[in-house]
Amino acid sequence: MNILLMGLPGAGKGTQSEQITQDYPVVHIATGDIFRQAIKDETPLGLEAKSYTDNGNLVPDEITNGLVKERLKQDDVKEYGFMLDGYPRTLQQARALSDNLESLDSSIDAVIYIDVDPEVLKERLSGRIICGSCGASYHKIYNPPKVENTCDSCGAHDFYQREDDKPEKVAHRINLQMESIQPILAYYEELGLLHRVSGENSIDQVYSKIQEVLSKL
Ligand code: AP5
Ligand code: MG
């Protein structure tokens, strides 16, 4: 199964990816997570990406495309398929992905777009907290840890707010990506791959809509 999970910042791509990987043995590849890990590890990629991600701007296409191209060649992807989260984010990336997959003799089975109103997104991002130990993501009100201040996944007690979730960065990220996402959606609609799912219901309800799509693949 090869799928793309698309949506504006805060739409629930990471949250739904966690649900999907519990039920399907697909390889979750989130470009944002890869950049954040590289920044934490202070690798050359991280040093290059930091100024873009911290300010809510897109990392240049040539860097992002190269990164995804290398990741898609790996054996786990060949064996289990991929779920790309947050890639492609420009039409140029979408075209580069098509070329890469063609050269790997692979293809996309479905593109799932999680659709959420921008005003709702602002509230979600400003309330998001991340586990400092394992990276699991929560929302202070809508999706808090089961035990207060304790990560459900790893039991750690330290949570932080992402640099790009600070209020002054959130609106910029949403506005920027609202523009760039439209031609990509049109591109996949034209290819007959696009499935729009409302992301404004509960996490479980959104997941059951996604499962409806996945069960038909
Ligand atoms: P990335 O990490 O991908 O950030 P993003 O697109 O801004 O998406 P988020 O991770 O913020 O949101 P999400 O959709 O995963 O939502 P989540 O599930 O956490 O990218 C970061 C940066 O890296 C980019 O800005 C860019 O600089 C760079 N980058 C990445 N990819 C790139 C690319 N392809 N090209 C160039 N640059 C790239 O949910 C959000 C919150 O809402 C959480 O608190 C969650 O608990 C809550 N929530 C989720 N679902 C629900 C629900 N149904 N109801 C209520 N609350 C919910
Ligand atoms: Mg995410």
Short mmCIF file of all heavy atoms in Angstrom, two decimals, residues 8-15 31-32 35-36 52-53 57-59 64 86-87 89 93 124-125 128 137-139 142-143 162 164 173 199 201-203 206, ligand 1:
data_model
loop_
_atom_site.label_atom_id
_atom_site.label_comp_id
_atom_site.label_asym_id
_atom_site.label_seq_id
_atom_site.Cartn_x
_atom_site.Cartn_y
_atom_site.Cartn_z
N LEU A 8 -3.37 20.72 5.53
CA LEU A 8 -2.69 21.93 5.99
C LEU A 8 -2.08 21.67 7.38
O LEU A 8 -2.41 20.68 8.03
CB LEU A 8 -3.70 23.09 6.05
CG LEU A 8 -4.25 23.52 4.68
CD1 LEU A 8 -5.37 24.55 4.85
CD2 LEU A 8 -3.13 24.09 3.81
N PRO A 9 -1.20 22.57 7.84
CA PRO A 9 -0.61 22.39 9.16
C PRO A 9 -1.69 22.21 10.23
O PRO A 9 -2.62 23.02 10.31
CB PRO A 9 0.16 23.70 9.39
CG PRO A 9 0.48 24.18 8.01
CD PRO A 9 -0.69 23.77 7.15
N GLY A 10 -1.57 21.15 11.02
CA GLY A 10 -2.54 20.92 12.09
C GLY A 10 -3.76 20.13 11.68
O GLY A 10 -4.66 19.87 12.49
N ALA A 11 -3.83 19.69 10.41
CA ALA A 11 -5.02 18.97 9.93
C ALA A 11 -5.17 17.62 10.61
O ALA A 11 -6.26 17.06 10.65
CB ALA A 11 -4.95 18.80 8.42
N GLY A 12 -4.04 17.07 11.11
CA GLY A 12 -4.11 15.77 11.78
C GLY A 12 -3.34 14.68 11.04
O GLY A 12 -3.58 13.50 11.26
N LYS A 13 -2.40 15.07 10.22
CA LYS A 13 -1.62 14.07 9.46
C LYS A 13 -0.84 13.15 10.42
O LYS A 13 -0.88 11.94 10.29
CB LYS A 13 -0.62 14.77 8.50
CG LYS A 13 -1.30 15.73 7.53
CD LYS A 13 -0.29 16.38 6.59
CE LYS A 13 0.66 17.37 7.25
NZ LYS A 13 0.01 18.54 7.85
N GLY A 14 -0.13 13.77 11.36
CA GLY A 14 0.66 12.98 12.31
C GLY A 14 -0.24 12.12 13.19
O GLY A 14 0.04 10.93 13.42
N THR A 15 -1.34 12.70 13.66
CA THR A 15 -2.27 11.98 14.54
C THR A 15 -2.86 10.77 13.81
O THR A 15 -2.90 9.66 14.34
CB THR A 15 -3.41 12.94 14.97
OG1 THR A 15 -2.80 14.07 15.60
CG2 THR A 15 -4.38 12.28 15.92
N THR A 31 8.23 14.21 6.30
CA THR A 31 9.38 15.09 6.03
C THR A 31 9.62 16.05 7.20
O THR A 31 10.76 16.31 7.57
CB THR A 31 9.19 15.85 4.70
OG1 THR A 31 7.82 16.26 4.61
CG2 THR A 31 9.54 14.99 3.52
N GLY A 32 8.56 16.57 7.81
CA GLY A 32 8.72 17.48 8.94
C GLY A 32 9.45 16.80 10.09
O GLY A 32 10.34 17.38 10.72
N PHE A 35 13.14 16.45 9.24
CA PHE A 35 13.85 17.74 9.43
C PHE A 35 14.07 18.02 10.91
O PHE A 35 15.17 18.42 11.32
CB PHE A 35 13.09 18.90 8.78
CG PHE A 35 13.10 18.89 7.28
CD1 PHE A 35 11.93 19.08 6.54
CD2 PHE A 35 14.29 18.69 6.58
CE1 PHE A 35 11.95 19.06 5.15
CE2 PHE A 35 14.31 18.66 5.18
CZ PHE A 35 13.14 18.85 4.47
N ARG A 36 13.05 17.80 11.74
CA ARG A 36 13.19 18.10 13.18
C ARG A 36 14.26 17.21 13.81
O ARG A 36 15.05 17.67 14.63
CB ARG A 36 11.85 17.94 13.91
CG ARG A 36 10.99 19.20 13.83
CD ARG A 36 9.73 19.09 14.66
NE ARG A 36 8.82 18.09 14.15
CZ ARG A 36 7.99 18.26 13.12
NH1 ARG A 36 7.95 19.43 12.50
NH2 ARG A 36 7.20 17.29 12.71
N TYR A 52 14.41 27.56 7.78
CA TYR A 52 13.11 27.46 7.08
C TYR A 52 12.04 26.94 8.04
O TYR A 52 10.97 27.54 8.16
CB TYR A 52 13.22 26.51 5.88
CG TYR A 52 14.21 26.95 4.84
CD1 TYR A 52 15.47 26.38 4.77
CD2 TYR A 52 13.88 27.96 3.94
CE1 TYR A 52 16.39 26.79 3.82
CE2 TYR A 52 14.80 28.38 2.98
CZ TYR A 52 16.05 27.79 2.93
OH TYR A 52 16.95 28.21 2.00
N THR A 53 12.33 25.82 8.69
CA THR A 53 11.28 25.21 9.53
C THR A 53 10.93 26.11 10.72
O THR A 53 9.76 26.27 11.04
CB THR A 53 11.71 23.81 10.04
OG1 THR A 53 12.90 23.94 10.77
CG2 THR A 53 11.92 22.84 8.91
N ASN A 57 8.55 28.38 6.92
CA ASN A 57 8.68 28.42 5.46
C ASN A 57 9.03 27.03 4.94
O ASN A 57 9.50 26.18 5.70
CB ASN A 57 9.78 29.40 5.05
CG ASN A 57 9.36 30.83 5.36
OD1 ASN A 57 8.21 31.21 5.14
ND2 ASN A 57 10.29 31.61 5.89
N LEU A 58 8.80 26.82 3.64
CA LEU A 58 9.11 25.51 3.08
C LEU A 58 10.60 25.38 2.82
O LEU A 58 11.24 26.31 2.33
CB LEU A 58 8.34 25.30 1.76
CG LEU A 58 6.81 25.19 1.90
CD1 LEU A 58 6.17 24.99 0.52
CD2 LEU A 58 6.41 24.05 2.83
N VAL A 59 11.14 24.22 3.14
CA VAL A 59 12.53 23.92 2.81
C VAL A 59 12.61 23.81 1.28
O VAL A 59 11.67 23.30 0.65
CB VAL A 59 12.95 22.60 3.50
CG1 VAL A 59 14.35 22.19 3.12
CG2 VAL A 59 12.80 22.74 5.02
N THR A 64 14.42 18.78 -0.22
CA THR A 64 13.35 17.87 0.20
C THR A 64 13.20 16.71 -0.78
O THR A 64 13.05 15.55 -0.37
CB THR A 64 12.02 18.66 0.32
OG1 THR A 64 12.29 19.87 1.02
CG2 THR A 64 10.98 17.88 1.06
N GLY A 86 3.01 14.93 4.68
CA GLY A 86 3.58 16.27 4.50
C GLY A 86 4.47 16.40 3.27
O GLY A 86 5.21 17.37 3.16
N TYR A 87 4.39 15.46 2.38
CA TYR A 87 5.13 15.52 1.11
C TYR A 87 4.27 14.86 0.06
O TYR A 87 3.76 13.77 0.33
CB TYR A 87 6.47 14.79 1.22
CG TYR A 87 7.29 14.81 -0.07
CD1 TYR A 87 8.22 15.81 -0.31
CD2 TYR A 87 7.11 13.81 -1.03
CE1 TYR A 87 8.95 15.82 -1.49
CE2 TYR A 87 7.83 13.83 -2.21
CZ TYR A 87 8.76 14.83 -2.43
OH TYR A 87 9.48 14.85 -3.60
N ARG A 89 4.56 19.06 -1.08
CA ARG A 89 3.95 20.31 -0.66
C ARG A 89 4.04 21.38 -1.73
O ARG A 89 3.58 22.50 -1.51
CB ARG A 89 4.62 20.82 0.62
CG ARG A 89 4.03 20.22 1.86
CD ARG A 89 4.33 21.10 3.02
NE ARG A 89 3.55 20.70 4.16
CZ ARG A 89 4.05 20.01 5.18
NH1 ARG A 89 5.30 19.65 5.21
NH2 ARG A 89 3.28 19.70 6.19
N GLN A 93 7.39 19.27 -6.27
CA GLN A 93 7.64 18.05 -5.48
C GLN A 93 6.73 16.92 -5.96
O GLN A 93 7.16 15.76 -6.02
CB GLN A 93 7.39 18.30 -3.99
CG GLN A 93 8.41 19.21 -3.32
CD GLN A 93 8.13 19.42 -1.83
OE1 GLN A 93 7.30 18.76 -1.23
NE2 GLN A 93 8.84 20.37 -1.25
N ARG A 124 -5.88 24.28 16.99
CA ARG A 124 -5.21 22.99 17.20
C ARG A 124 -3.71 23.16 17.39
O ARG A 124 -3.11 22.55 18.26
CB ARG A 124 -5.44 22.08 15.99
CG ARG A 124 -6.83 21.54 15.95
CD ARG A 124 -6.88 20.41 14.96
NE ARG A 124 -8.24 19.95 14.76
CZ ARG A 124 -8.58 19.09 13.82
NH1 ARG A 124 -7.65 18.62 13.00
NH2 ARG A 124 -9.82 18.72 13.69
N LEU A 125 -3.12 24.00 16.54
CA LEU A 125 -1.66 24.14 16.61
C LEU A 125 -1.22 24.86 17.87
O LEU A 125 -0.22 24.52 18.48
CB LEU A 125 -1.15 24.88 15.37
CG LEU A 125 -1.29 24.07 14.07
CD1 LEU A 125 -0.89 24.91 12.87
CD2 LEU A 125 -0.45 22.81 14.11
N ARG A 128 -1.12 22.38 20.74
CA ARG A 128 -0.38 21.11 20.59
C ARG A 128 0.82 21.07 21.53
O ARG A 128 1.55 22.04 21.68
CB ARG A 128 0.09 20.95 19.14
CG ARG A 128 0.98 19.73 18.97
CD ARG A 128 1.17 19.34 17.53
NE ARG A 128 1.73 20.41 16.72
CZ ARG A 128 1.91 20.32 15.42
NH1 ARG A 128 1.53 19.23 14.78
NH2 ARG A 128 2.42 21.33 14.75
N SER A 137 2.57 13.31 19.81
CA SER A 137 1.94 14.63 19.81
C SER A 137 0.56 14.58 20.47
O SER A 137 -0.19 13.62 20.30
CB SER A 137 1.92 15.10 18.36
OG SER A 137 0.74 15.72 18.03
N TYR A 138 0.25 15.60 21.25
CA TYR A 138 -1.02 15.68 21.99
C TYR A 138 -1.60 17.08 21.82
O TYR A 138 -0.94 17.99 21.30
CB TYR A 138 -0.78 15.44 23.50
CG TYR A 138 -0.20 14.09 23.79
CD1 TYR A 138 1.19 13.91 23.84
CD2 TYR A 138 -1.02 12.99 23.99
CE1 TYR A 138 1.74 12.66 24.10
CE2 TYR A 138 -0.48 11.73 24.25
CZ TYR A 138 0.89 11.57 24.30
OH TYR A 138 1.42 10.34 24.53
N HIS A 139 -2.86 17.22 22.27
CA HIS A 139 -3.45 18.56 22.34
C HIS A 139 -3.92 18.77 23.77
O HIS A 139 -4.55 17.86 24.35
CB HIS A 139 -4.63 18.68 21.36
CG HIS A 139 -5.11 20.09 21.22
ND1 HIS A 139 -5.93 20.69 22.15
CD2 HIS A 139 -4.85 21.02 20.28
CE1 HIS A 139 -6.17 21.93 21.77
NE2 HIS A 139 -5.53 22.17 20.64
N TYR A 142 -8.02 18.81 23.29
CA TYR A 142 -8.72 17.81 22.46
C TYR A 142 -8.14 16.42 22.53
O TYR A 142 -8.81 15.45 22.19
CB TYR A 142 -8.73 18.27 20.99
CG TYR A 142 -9.30 19.63 20.80
CD1 TYR A 142 -8.61 20.61 20.12
CD2 TYR A 142 -10.57 19.93 21.32
CE1 TYR A 142 -9.14 21.88 19.96
CE2 TYR A 142 -11.10 21.19 21.16
CZ TYR A 142 -10.38 22.16 20.48
OH TYR A 142 -10.91 23.41 20.33
N ASN A 143 -6.85 16.33 22.90
CA ASN A 143 -6.23 15.00 22.88
C ASN A 143 -5.12 14.96 23.95
O ASN A 143 -3.94 14.79 23.64
CB ASN A 143 -5.65 14.77 21.47
CG ASN A 143 -4.99 13.42 21.33
OD1 ASN A 143 -5.35 12.47 22.01
ND2 ASN A 143 -4.01 13.33 20.43
N ARG A 162 6.30 23.12 19.77
CA ARG A 162 7.17 23.28 18.60
C ARG A 162 7.43 24.76 18.33
O ARG A 162 6.53 25.58 18.48
CB ARG A 162 6.50 22.64 17.37
CG ARG A 162 6.96 21.22 17.12
CD ARG A 162 6.15 20.51 16.07
NE ARG A 162 5.98 21.20 14.81
CZ ARG A 162 5.40 20.66 13.75
NH1 ARG A 162 4.94 19.42 13.79
NH2 ARG A 162 5.26 21.35 12.64
N ASP A 164 7.62 26.29 15.58
CA ASP A 164 6.72 26.86 14.56
C ASP A 164 5.25 26.84 14.99
O ASP A 164 4.39 27.22 14.22
CB ASP A 164 6.93 26.16 13.20
CG ASP A 164 6.69 24.65 13.23
OD1 ASP A 164 6.55 24.09 14.35
OD2 ASP A 164 6.65 24.04 12.16
N ARG A 173 2.26 29.94 8.45
CA ARG A 173 2.34 28.58 7.88
C ARG A 173 1.05 28.21 7.16
O ARG A 173 1.09 27.65 6.06
CB ARG A 173 2.56 27.56 9.01
CG ARG A 173 3.96 27.48 9.48
CD ARG A 173 4.04 26.76 10.81
NE ARG A 173 3.65 25.38 10.78
CZ ARG A 173 3.19 24.72 11.84
NH1 ARG A 173 3.03 25.34 12.99
NH2 ARG A 173 2.88 23.46 11.74
N GLY A 199 -11.70 16.55 8.28
CA GLY A 199 -10.87 16.36 9.47
C GLY A 199 -11.44 17.08 10.67
O GLY A 199 -10.74 17.27 11.67
N ASN A 201 -14.08 16.19 12.55
CA ASN A 201 -14.75 15.36 13.56
C ASN A 201 -13.71 14.86 14.56
O ASN A 201 -12.55 15.24 14.48
CB ASN A 201 -15.47 14.21 12.88
CG ASN A 201 -16.51 14.74 11.90
OD1 ASN A 201 -17.31 15.60 12.26
ND2 ASN A 201 -16.45 14.28 10.67
N SER A 202 -14.15 13.98 15.45
CA SER A 202 -13.20 13.47 16.45
C SER A 202 -12.10 12.67 15.75
O SER A 202 -12.27 12.24 14.60
CB SER A 202 -13.93 12.58 17.45
OG SER A 202 -14.24 11.35 16.81
N ILE A 203 -11.00 12.46 16.44
CA ILE A 203 -9.87 11.72 15.86
C ILE A 203 -10.34 10.34 15.38
O ILE A 203 -10.00 9.91 14.28
CB ILE A 203 -8.73 11.63 16.90
CG1 ILE A 203 -8.16 13.04 17.15
CG2 ILE A 203 -7.64 10.66 16.44
CD1 ILE A 203 -7.17 13.14 18.29
N VAL A 206 -12.53 10.63 12.20
CA VAL A 206 -11.72 10.91 11.01
C VAL A 206 -11.04 9.61 10.57
O VAL A 206 -11.02 9.26 9.38
CB VAL A 206 -10.66 12.00 11.30
CG1 VAL A 206 -9.76 12.21 10.09
CG2 VAL A 206 -11.33 13.32 11.71
P1 AP5 B 1 5.35 19.31 9.40
O1 AP5 B 1 5.95 18.72 10.60
O2 AP5 B 1 4.84 18.43 8.36
O3 AP5 B 1 4.29 20.37 9.87
P2 AP5 B 1 2.85 20.79 9.29
O4 AP5 B 1 2.42 20.48 7.94
O5 AP5 B 1 2.83 22.20 9.60
O6 AP5 B 1 1.92 19.82 9.97
P3 AP5 B 1 1.83 19.56 11.47
O7 AP5 B 1 2.77 18.47 11.85
O8 AP5 B 1 1.93 20.88 12.19
O9 AP5 B 1 0.32 19.10 11.58
P4 AP5 B 1 -0.34 17.66 11.43
O10 AP5 B 1 -1.24 17.68 10.26
O11 AP5 B 1 0.66 16.55 11.52
O12 AP5 B 1 -1.25 17.70 12.72
P5 AP5 B 1 -1.19 16.85 14.09
O13 AP5 B 1 -1.65 15.46 13.81
O14 AP5 B 1 0.08 17.05 14.80
O15 AP5 B 1 6.44 20.30 8.73
C1 AP5 B 1 7.17 21.20 9.51
C2 AP5 B 1 8.05 22.05 8.64
O16 AP5 B 1 9.01 21.22 7.94
C3 AP5 B 1 7.34 22.83 7.52
O17 AP5 B 1 6.80 24.04 7.99
C4 AP5 B 1 8.51 23.05 6.54
O18 AP5 B 1 9.37 24.05 7.02
C5 AP5 B 1 9.25 21.72 6.63
N1 AP5 B 1 8.72 20.76 5.66
C6 AP5 B 1 8.07 19.60 5.92
N2 AP5 B 1 7.72 18.98 4.79
C7 AP5 B 1 8.14 19.76 3.78
C8 AP5 B 1 8.04 19.67 2.36
N3 AP5 B 1 7.42 18.63 1.75
N4 AP5 B 1 8.59 20.67 1.61
C9 AP5 B 1 9.22 21.71 2.20
N5 AP5 B 1 9.32 21.87 3.53
C10 AP5 B 1 8.79 20.90 4.32
O19 AP5 B 1 -2.39 17.58 14.87
C11 AP5 B 1 -2.27 18.93 15.28
C12 AP5 B 1 -2.92 19.12 16.66
O20 AP5 B 1 -4.34 18.90 16.53
C13 AP5 B 1 -2.43 18.12 17.71
O21 AP5 B 1 -2.38 18.78 18.93
C14 AP5 B 1 -3.51 17.02 17.72
O22 AP5 B 1 -3.61 16.38 18.97
C15 AP5 B 1 -4.77 17.82 17.38
N6 AP5 B 1 -5.74 17.05 16.58
C16 AP5 B 1 -5.47 16.23 15.53
N7 AP5 B 1 -6.62 15.73 15.01
C17 AP5 B 1 -7.63 16.27 15.76
C18 AP5 B 1 -9.07 16.15 15.71
N8 AP5 B 1 -9.68 15.36 14.80
N9 AP5 B 1 -9.78 16.86 16.61
C19 AP5 B 1 -9.16 17.65 17.54
N10 AP5 B 1 -7.82 17.81 17.64
C20 AP5 B 1 -7.07 17.13 16.75
#
